[in-house]
Amino acid sequence: MFVQSGIVRFFLFLAFGIWFVHCQTVNPFPSDKINAKTNPVGTSIEWIKIKETVWIHKSFGSFQGKIYESNGLVVLTNQGVVVIDTAWTEPQTEDLILGIQTKFQKDILFLIVTHAHDDRMAGVNLFHKRNIPVYSTNLTAKLAKEKGLGKTNPILDVQTRLYSGNHSVEIFFPGHGHSPDNIVVWLPDTHILFGGCLVKDLDAIDLGNVKDANLVEWENSVKRVLTRYPDAVVVVPGHGNWGKLDLLRHTIRLLVSTNH
């Protein structure tokens, strides 16, 4: 009987130990606030499939002492790949480009930059080295030059619809918001809207980096996007988890709360 009791106590202790270790290793942070020790900035790209032809590429960067995740898009066409925004750092962008080549075995046709911040365009020089076109608006090109973020081809004020084989992307500038030059990208074939940093995810409790923001105009800019793309099935923010049109409404609520 004593031996049996000892065996029972041993297995109870072992089960508790496994439970304790598991609890200590589960990430306690929400999806847009990753622990720097477990997900350093040097972490390779993470991939999330939304549709067969549309993937999120997720990278990591530091802001005010915390590590955040950053979203971009990869759109697969029958002629090649369209990339929306680089990764947050050059090493991660190198991983992004190599990952596209190995994962999808397609050439990159062009890169779209949604505004002049490093989480959107830190890796543009790696695209230039491979002779891959980098497109932006005139204002983004101007701001990027002033900030030393790299060179872009400012065609998106005129060419707001770009075609690639069996897919197209639409560029829309809704007005000043997170930054003076933030654009959104609409994928009409899949009804996916890349809101970028103009849009906050549902877990966001504040507006994040507002250094270049216009808190008054931001609300109107989001409303213009909501009016223009009411049929969006998926909305991808610049940071955090993707969702539906609720992300736009949540962003408006955060702005109303901040401004009042």
Side-chain angles (χ1 to χ4, degrees), residues 36-57:
K37 293 182 179 179
T38 58
N39 289 279
V41 174
T43 298
S44 296
I45 295 295
E46 293 183 8
W47 299 91
I48 300 173
K49 182 169 72 172
I50 306 176
K51 300 282 186 181
E52 286 298 325
T53 57
V54 184
W55 292 67
I56 293 174
H57 67 78

Side-chain angles (χ1 to χ4, degrees), residues 141-154:
K142 177 177 179 293
L143 293 173
K145 183 178 179 180
E146 292 173 357
K147 297 177 180 181
L149 291 175
K151 185 178 180 180
T152 66
N153 185 356

Side-chain angles (χ1 to χ4, degrees), residues 96-242:
L96 169 63
I97 294 172
L98 295 177
I100 291 171
Q101 293 171 345
T102 57
K103 189 177 185 67
F104 306 114
Q105 297 184 355
K106 290 176 176 284
D107 293 330
I108 299 174
L109 301 172
F110 55 84
L111 166 71
I112 293 174
V113 173
T114 58
H115 64 273
H117 282 166
D118 56 358
D119 59 337
R120 305 293 115 197
M121 59 177 302
V124 294
N125 288 334
L126 298 178
F127 285 82
H128 290 311
K129 289 179 180 178
R130 291 170 169 84
N131 295 315
I132 300 170
V134 178
Y135 299 141
S136 77
T137 63
N138 275 294
L139 183 53
T140 294
K142 177 177 179 293
L143 293 173
K145 183 178 179 180
E146 292 173 357
K147 297 177 180 181
L149 291 175
K151 185 178 180 180
T152 66
N153 185 356
I155 69 169
L156 298 183
D157 297 292
V158 177
Q159 293 181 245
T160 57
R161 180 71 71 99
L162 301 177
Y163 295 89
S164 172
N166 59 339
H167 285 272
S168 66
V169 297
E170 179 179 295
I171 310 304
F172 178 58
F173 171 64
H176 198 154
H178 165 77
S179 67
D181 58 326
N182 46 210
I183 59 173
V184 300
V185 182
W186 171 244
L187 308 180
D189 304 289
T190 53
H191 285 222
I192 293 174
L193 175 69
F194 183 75
C197 296
L198 180 77
V199 179
K200 308 300 294 184
D201 80 306
L202 291 180
D203 290 330
I205 59 174
D206 57 46
L207 296 168
N209 179 11
V210 294
K211 180 181 178 181
D212 296 325
N214 185 321
L215 297 178
V216 176
E217 286 302 315
W218 194 338
E219 180 182 344
N220 291 328
S221 297
V222 176
K223 287 179 178 178
R224 292 186 191 103
V225 175
L226 190 58
T227 299
R228 188 177 180 92
Y229 303 112
D231 298 329
V233 175
V234 172
V235 177
V236 180
H239 305 275
N241 294 322
W242 61 272

Side-chain angles (χ1 to χ4, degrees), residues 81-98:
V81 175
V82 174
V83 181
I84 301 172
D85 287 336
T86 76
W88 203 323
T89 67
E90 277 204 350
Q92 290 175 347
T93 301
E94 184 71 29
D95 286 344
L96 169 63
I97 294 172
L98 295 177

